Amino acid sequence: MTNLTTIIMAAGKGTRMKSTRPKVLQPLAGKPLLQHVLTTAKKLGSQKNIIIYGFEGRQVKDAFANESIDWVEQAEQLGTGHAVQMALPVLPTDGKSLILSGDVPLIGVDTLEKLSNTDSRFAMLTINIANPFGLGRIVRKDGKVIAIVEEKDATDTQKQISEINSGVYCVDNAILHNYLKNLNNNNAQGEYYLTDIVKMAVDDGIEIATVSPTYQFEIEGVNDRIQLANLERTWQAHQAENLMKQGVHIIDPSRFDLRGTLTVGRDVEIDINVIIEGDCTFGDNVKIGAGCVIKNSHIASGTVVQPYSLFDNAVVGEQNQIGTFSRLRPNAVTAKDVHIGNFVELKNTQMADGAKANHLAYLGDSTVGERTNIGAGTITANYDGVNKFKTTIGNDVSVGSNVVLVAPVTLGDKVTVGAGSTITKDVAEDKLVVARGRQTVIDGWVRPVKEKK
């Protein structure tokens, strides 16, 4: 909707976290709790995002320094009503505001769209749950909301109500400007409660609309490490379920972590303890072995990634064989039918169709031609302590084991490099090059032995 403001309460310390970091900076699915809420607000098209900060506010502001945010300080934490009061000086007088909490990270875009698009000037998110103990109950008369009653104030009859208040609202800004200034703290806690504006609206004859979330976890907050861990597993199970509905074969959803987004083709298979971070794409028939960590990478169809491989900003072509224990660092790019084997590392290296590096190699700042084979133990020495240099290897090259290619250096097509060589100069195509000391046997040499005491 147009003229939508989002107010996010993020001032709490989170004492039960036992942390030097504010609660809203604790991570869930690889991102701070507050980042989840802010990302959702931006997806809604919120024109103005107000964040109310408090404990360790500098940490919070620094973490979101690149975002367009109106920061408002709540120096003293005197309740939810007091928090939103702090936003009044920067709150527009027209339009509506969504009021969210920075420690309730998984509220869905669809849910908030329904909430913000009601015809009412005052809407709130409620849900029926099996065990509402400790939560504010929604009291209705003739189907209309007339009050929110907290657990400690509820009668026995009211305690049987299963509909609870989530603490998420969408309210006309004019109402907020009018009601928030009239809040008082005449209660046992000495705090200003946001829920009091519900009673004010009812007294003024404003009908309150209610919307329910699709999933209960959307309104679950985080107060300690146990709740954080439980919500993490709930969210991961939800993401795994969505992927399985798309046809992904996840071997064990309880041992799967998606900390970003994953776009998949058909018949993708993901083994246990795989972690996927950032934005990733897997093509048809991709298989990911156990224990892999894949970040911001794209893997084309038919590729098999063996266990315990690490990808970071890599682009992998079709029908590749990768791993085990391989590492593809930023700007590692492989074409079709490439083999990257055990304990092989690529950094800023491009490998053409059919190229292979199957064992114990490091290729940095390199290009490797078609059908070229890199022997075990081979490295490109790309760094002189100050600058990085490039190694260029042509097509159909055979590089023996334990070779050092000292960049900058170029090997032409069909070059053969003898095992154990250190290559410092360019080699023309079709040549055999050997650069190593001649084997010598030293007659009369005796290995030292320890003297017996």
Side-chain angles (χ1 to χ4, degrees), residues 114-128:
K114 288 190 294 182
L115 187 68
S116 59
N117 288 327
T118 67
D119 294 330
S120 176
R121 299 175 63 206
F122 196 127
M124 59 190 298
L125 200 64
T126 70
I127 188 172
N128 287 280

Side-chain angles (χ1 to χ4, degrees), residues 239-377:
Q239 294 190 108
E241 182 178 306
N242 284 339
L243 287 168
M244 289 187 289
K245 287 177 179 177
Q246 297 174 54
V248 178
H249 182 192
I250 297 178
I251 302 298
D252 184 351
S254 69
R255 291 182 285 177
F256 169 79
D257 284 85
L258 173 56
R259 302 170 184 173
T261 60
L262 175 59
T263 303
V264 293
R266 292 182 178 274
D267 296 307
V268 169
E269 182 178 303
I270 300 174
D271 210 330
I272 63 171
N273 298 327
V274 170
I275 299 173
I276 298 165
E277 301 180 345
D279 297 319
C280 294
T281 303
F282 297 168
D284 295 344
N285 298 297
V286 165
K287 291 180 172 56
I288 309 296
C292 293
V293 180
I294 300 174
K295 178 179 180 180
N296 292 321
S297 296
H298 303 277
I299 303 175
S301 298
T303 286
V304 176
V305 182
Q306 299 291 348
Y308 308 109
S309 296
L310 307 179
F311 291 16
D312 182 358
N313 286 273
V315 178
V316 179
E318 295 180 356
Q319 306 297 328
N320 279 208
Q321 298 289 325
I322 310 288
T324 59
F325 296 103
S326 61
R327 185 181 182 196
L328 275 60
R329 292 167 57 193
N331 202 31
V333 180
T334 65
K336 186 176 181 179
D337 196 30
V338 170
H339 290 197
I340 305 295
N342 304 335
F343 300 101
V344 172
E345 180 177 355
L346 305 185
K347 190 274 294 184
N348 190 28
T349 289
Q350 297 78 49
M351 299 189 71
D353 289 356
K356 297 179 181 180
N358 278 322
H359 314 281
L360 300 157
Y362 168 71
L363 301 174
D365 300 297
S366 307
T367 59
V368 179
E370 296 178 1
R371 299 171 300 281
T372 285
N373 184 75
I374 306 296

Side-chain angles (χ1 to χ4, degrees), residues 23 108 135 153 313 315 326 379 394 409 411 421 433:
K23 179 167 60 173
L135 301 171
D153 300 319
N313 286 273
V315 178
S326 61
I379 71 163
V409 69
L411 306 182
S421 296
V433 59

Side-chain angles (χ1 to χ4, degrees), residues 68-239:
S68 178
I69 292 168
D70 286 88
W71 293 100
V72 175
E73 184 177 15
Q74 186 187 17
E76 295 181 276
Q77 277 72 66
L78 301 177
T80 52
H82 178 255
V84 183
Q85 278 180 337
M86 298 297 98
L88 289 178
V90 297
L91 184 69
T93 55
D94 60 343
K96 289 183 176 183
S97 283
L98 280 168
I99 302 173
L100 308 174
S101 295
D103 61 357
V104 181
L106 298 182
I107 192 82
V109 173
D110 291 346
T111 294
L112 292 181
E113 281 181 339
K114 288 190 294 182
L115 187 68
S116 59
N117 288 327
T118 67
D119 294 330
S120 176
R121 299 175 63 206
F122 196 127
M124 59 190 298
L125 200 64
T126 70
I127 188 172
N128 287 280
I129 62 175
N131 180 18
F133 178 78
L135 301 171
R137 309 303 206 278
I138 302 299
V139 181
R140 294 179 181 267
K141 183 178 181 180
D142 298 327
K144 296 180 180 179
V145 175
I146 59 170
I148 300 174
V149 178
E150 300 302 326
E151 174 81 27
K152 62 182 181 298
D153 300 319
T155 65
D156 289 342
T157 300
Q158 290 170 336
K159 287 178 181 178
Q160 303 305 308
I161 298 172
S162 62
E163 186 181 13
I164 58 99
N165 173 36
S166 71
V168 176
Y169 307 90
C170 186
V171 186
D172 273 10
N173 291 335
I175 290 178
L176 293 175
H177 278 284
N178 185 29
Y179 290 170
L180 287 171
K181 63 187 178 183
N182 295 322
L183 292 177
N184 64 66
N185 62 346
N186 298 329
N187 54 64
Q189 302 299 319
E191 294 185 351
Y192 297 87
Y193 293 132
L194 186 60
T195 50
D196 287 350
I197 68 173
V198 175
K199 183 178 185 305
M200 295 178 188
V202 171
D203 289 346
D204 282 350
I206 297 172
E207 187 169 335
I208 296 175
T210 59
V211 170
S212 293
T214 306
Y215 305 100
Q216 184 174 326
F217 66 71
E218 294 183 64
I219 62 163
E220 290 182 7
V222 173
N223 292 303
D224 57 31
R225 301 288 187 183
I226 297 169
Q227 289 179 338
L228 181 61
N230 289 338
L231 193 57
E232 177 80 46
R233 290 324 316 158
T234 298
W235 178 237
Q236 294 302 343
H238 176 73
Q239 294 190 108

